[in-house]
Amino acid sequence: MCGIAGWADLARPLHDGARTVRAMTDTLAARGPDGAGLWAGTNAVLGHRRLAVMDPDRGHQPMVISDDRDQPLVVLAYTGEVFNHLELRTELELLGHKFRTDTDTEVVLHACQQWGTGVAERLNGMYAFAVWDAPRHQLLLVRDRLGVKPLFYARHGEGVVFASEPKALFAGRLITPAVDEDGMRDFLASVRTPGGSLFQSVYEVRPGTMLALDARGIRERRYWALQARPHTDDLPATIGHVRDLLGDIADRHVRADVPLGALLSGGLDSSVLAALGQRATLGDLRTFSVDFAGNADQFVPDALRATPDAPYVRDMVAHCGLHHHDILLDSAALTDPAVRQAVVAARDAPATGDMDTSLYLLFQAVREHVTVAISGESADEVFGGYPWFHHADTLTTDGYPWRYLTGRSGTYQALLRDEVATGLGIAAHRENHYRQAVSEVPVLPGETGIQRRMREVFHLHLTRWLPDLLDRKDRLSMAVGLEVRVPFCDHRLVEYAFDTPWGQHTFDGREKSLLRAAAADVLPASVATRTKAPYPVTQDPAYNRAIREQAADLVTTPTAPVWTFLDPQRLRDRLDRKVTNRATRAGIEFALNLDVWLRTIRPAPPR
């Protein structure tokens, strides 16, 4: 896993291209602490920062295939992992390709030379890459199917600049950072528009899409999207196929030439991967869990979380014989202004309270032990794990089903200045956003009722909800040089589960019935029957006191950039309340994080 950046313009030579792209690439040093590289041509420059995972001693990038006169034919800057690279390598060798390294990067390079714009359909993995085809004078930007790896771009003149993160685009000083109104609407409405961003004129390459720049201009091609296909397997065959897929996916995801571990919460998703990963590594998997100082004494169950994680983690460690590490975080670290700034800078966005901060600190601690970690992210989206999948009103209410997040964003909206709230029109934006999203859902002929609605719900989660979680996971892990893999995003599993009837997903009356049944034999009974619990948050009163004190300082700073959007009196009113409930806490965290973010995007002078 690495970071990439670059600039291409077919209309003029890039005389200052190397200097510009080097500045862009330097901002991605945390993503690639093991090396830096730059390739500069007349009309294209590609930069790279490397986190060495496969064949650490070789595989430096950008990687080039040259002709007999040492002229470049294909140049690649690549980040991610392709998990079927061994099979592709064998196929390419039979076609006459020669390899110098054992990296998946070189496989992708030769695959680009062999199959051109048809390369992406052959890849199984999480990736974002730029490839310059010198004979065709063409730049391709390619992103994986689910959008696990980020890739942003902006138009500049007749060309494009691109990078793994927006901050790298701004470092080149070819474009100026400014808040995008639609991006802010998305953030406040708890939705995500494919291809959009929080910054004006900055776009994401959409998941499952490639962007081409050549003599015909800039064109976008969708190479993958979810399709509705008939499901013909009965329940036992479905469970068996899910298990076979999980086994193969686990085997592929533990391949690495550096230390590898797994995140373990004691929930079903992470536990399945830890158990299968332990088997695939022959008992050599390290696992990591997060908890908060004082949580054992202060834990209070609520509607989302009935039990703490620790007892289930202990059951998993004993059952599977895991090499386990408990990561304990305290409120001093969670409220440290320097940590808050690091988290906001990593995300290029206002962070989500202590959830983002604790995840960053967890990744930082994990990186002291391993370079690669496996995460259970996306199992809820693939197998229907969230509580609202199973609420009756999900079937009857016309709108996004993640309504508790709407409550959080409602807390944010309540702090807005009146003129800002009116101008943004967030409720109408969310409604229009939903209508567009539903119109894209594929259905089978004659599909109606609960099956059609649940297909909509799955599609909405996979295309409008999951991308934000994947972006958070990537940004916060790569900010500390940790590669996090997400096996449940394997497109074969996603496609199969998407077409599985809802009755099979819930055959035993529980959430994630298929996943439980497919992996029950590798789990302790306590974990196999545990109810879904979200990522933990601290319940330490010291945390609430600290953020209230920081917010009190903020409201006494009239020049703070946050007041462009928020009404300081509304934040004062929340601070005057005696009790810091969930809504008050979310509002305070939002104000603090928004202020930090706005300070980070104050524009540098353009060149």
Side-chain angles (χ1 to χ4, degrees):
M1 206 87 78
C2 310
I4 64 172
W7 181 14
D9 192 327
L10 308 187
R12 68 182 183 93
L14 303 179
H15 297 301
D16 56 347
R19 180 166 57 91
T20 297
V21 174
R22 184 172 290 109
M24 295 166 63
T25 307
D26 286 347
T27 68
L28 303 173
R31 298 184 71 94
D34 298 326
L38 191 78
W39 178 89
T42 302
N43 297 106
V45 182
L46 275 60
H48 187 265
R49 293 290 313 203
R50 188 184 187 206
L51 176 65
V53 172
M54 306 295 293
D55 197 353
D57 295 331
R58 298 178 292 176
H60 304 289
Q61 296 189 54
M63 198 172 280
V64 183
I65 295 176
S66 300
D67 62 16
D68 294 338
R69 295 172 299 162
D70 203 31
Q71 295 298 305
L73 296 173
V74 183
V75 186
L76 176 69
Y78 162 88
T79 175
E81 301 292 340
V82 167
F83 298 112
N84 64 333
H85 69 96
L86 295 179
E87 295 92 327
L88 290 174
R89 182 186 181 112
T90 299
E91 184 177 357
L92 288 163
E93 286 175 334
L94 291 174
L95 291 169
H97 291 261
K98 307 295 182 183
F99 292 88
R100 298 176 290 104
T101 75
D102 295 324
T103 64
D104 59 330
T105 304
E106 191 178 14
V107 172
V108 174
L109 174 69
H110 283 267
C112 289
Q113 183 187 38
Q114 180 67 37
W115 296 303
T117 57
V119 65
E121 290 91 333
R122 295 174 175 269
L123 306 179
N124 176 343
M126 53 182 201
Y127 48 82
F129 59 86
V131 57
W132 174 248
D133 187 322
R136 292 187 177 91
H137 226 50
Q138 180 187 68
L139 175 75
L140 284 181
L141 302 178
V142 183
R143 194 169 179 213
D144 65 68
R145 292 171 178 82
L146 274 297
V148 181
K149 301 309 298 174
L151 184 55
F152 295 86
Y153 70 97
R155 297 290 302 264
H156 181 71
E158 297 299 313
V160 295
V161 288
F162 61 88
S164 295
E165 299 177 0
K167 65 174 68 67
L169 300 178
F170 306 139
R173 296 191 179 184
L174 298 175
I175 57 173
T176 301
V179 178
D180 183 77
E181 283 194 4
D182 280 338
M184 185 58 76
R185 289 185 181 100
D186 277 4
F187 182 84
L188 292 169
S190 294
V191 297
R192 190 178 181 99
T193 300
S197 85
L198 276 165
F199 301 96
Q200 286 181 16
S201 303
V202 173
Y203 307 96
E204 278 191 306
V205 176
R206 300 185 186 200
T209 299
M210 62 173 57
L211 204 71
L213 170 68
D214 55 25
R216 291 177 288 175
I218 296 177
R219 293 166 290 111
E220 184 179 71
R221 180 174 80 83
R222 187 82 174 266
Y223 71 85
W224 181 87
L226 285 166
Q227 303 294 326
R229 299 181 179 90
H231 184 85
T232 58
D233 291 343
D234 62 13
L235 181 59
T238 299
I239 294 170
H241 188 63
V242 169
R243 175 54 181 268
D244 290 343
L245 281 173
L246 290 172
D248 180 69
I249 292 166
D251 288 344
R252 293 174 185 274
H253 276 72
V254 298
R255 295 172 183 167
D257 295 331
V258 293
L260 176 141
L263 306 177
L264 179 63
S265 70
L268 179 65
D269 313 337
S270 65
S271 297
V272 167
L273 296 179
L276 295 176
Q278 178 76 331
R279 290 188 173 191
T281 59
L282 303 178
D284 193 33
L285 186 70
R286 308 178 201 185
T287 55
F288 304 87
S289 63
V290 64
D291 205 349
F292 302 98
N295 198 41
D297 301 322
Q298 298 162 349
F299 179 82
V300 177
D302 58 27
L304 295 176
R305 173 177 290 276
T307 56
D309 289 339
Y312 300 95
V313 171
R314 289 194 294 268
D315 288 350
M316 272 298 299
V317 172
H319 184 80
C320 298
L322 300 168
H323 304 287
H324 185 69
H325 304 263
D326 290 308
I327 308 300
L328 192 66
L329 305 178
D330 61 31
S331 293
L334 291 169
T335 58
D336 185 340
V339 174
R340 184 187 303 280
Q341 291 174 5
V343 169
V344 170
R347 291 212 62 185
D348 285 315
T352 308
D354 70 303
M355 183 179 294
D356 282 12
T357 309
S358 65
L359 199 58
Y360 172 84
L361 293 170
L362 168 64
F363 290 151
Q364 193 175 62
V366 171
R367 184 62 175 91
E368 296 177 4
H369 302 274
V370 298
T371 308
V372 178
I374 294 169
S375 167
E377 199 81 82
S378 82
D380 290 311
E381 291 78 12
V382 172
F383 290 106
Y386 293 113
W388 50 83
F389 270 85
H390 308 273
H391 292 166
D393 61 356
T394 295
L395 300 177
T396 58
T397 302
D398 192 26
Y400 284 116
W402 44 88
R403 281 177 288 282
Y404 97 88
L405 258 294
T406 308
R408 183 203 72 185
S409 58
T411 298
Y412 298 172
Q413 295 169 39
L415 294 174
L416 293 176
R417 302 173 67 91
D418 288 339
E419 65 273 21
V420 172
T422 300
L424 290 175
I426 297 164
H429 176 77
R430 184 179 171 90
E431 173 67 17
N432 294 335
H433 195 278
Y434 173 74
R435 295 296 166 203
Q436 176 60 37
V438 168
S439 73
E440 299 173 8
V441 178
V443 295
L444 292 172
E447 194 168 53
T448 59
I450 187 173
Q451 182 57 35
R452 179 179 180 127
R453 176 54 180 165
M454 294 314 297
R455 189 183 291 280
E456 290 178 351
V457 170
F458 274 108
H459 197 273
L460 292 171
H461 278 82
L462 290 165
T463 62
R464 298 305 196 275
W465 168 278
L466 179 61
D468 193 59
L469 303 185
L470 294 175
D471 183 76
R472 177 179 69 184
K473 184 83 70 176
D474 173 87
R475 302 296 200 88
L476 297 178
S477 62
M478 294 306 294
V480 297
L482 177 71
E483 173 178 300
V484 174
R485 299 176 178 179
V486 280
F488 288 115
C489 281
D490 186 293
H491 72 277
R492 299 170 298 164
L493 183 65
V494 172
E495 291 171 347
Y496 188 76
F498 182 67
D499 289 320
T500 299
W502 180 241
Q504 290 190 5
H505 275 289
T506 57
F507 73 88
D508 63 357
R510 300 208 52 188
E511 82 281 3
K512 292 185 284 196
S513 303
L514 286 180
L515 183 57
R516 290 179 194 279
D521 64 302
V522 299
L523 302 173
S526 61
V527 172
T529 58
R530 188 185 182 191
T531 301
K532 160 70 183 174
Y535 182 82
V537 297
T538 182
Q539 297 185 356
D540 184 4
Y543 178 86
N544 293 337
R545 288 194 298 271
I547 63 170
R548 290 177 72 96
E549 291 171 0
Q550 292 170 358
D553 290 339
L554 181 61
V555 296
T556 62
T557 309
T559 59
V562 71
W563 307 132
T564 304
F565 288 90
L566 304 189
D567 184 330
Q569 186 56 50
R570 290 174 178 169
L571 183 58
R572 286 192 192 95
D573 292 343
R574 278 150 182 78
L575 294 176
D576 288 341
R577 296 170 184 172
K578 298 290 185 182
V579 178
T580 306
N581 59 22
R582 180 180 296 171
T584 301
R585 173 163 149 172
I588 292 171
E589 292 170 330
F590 170 58
L592 293 171
N593 291 329
L594 180 61
D595 185 67
V596 172
W597 179 63
L598 291 170
R599 292 175 190 273
T600 67
I601 65 171
R602 289 185 173 180
R607 284 214 304 255

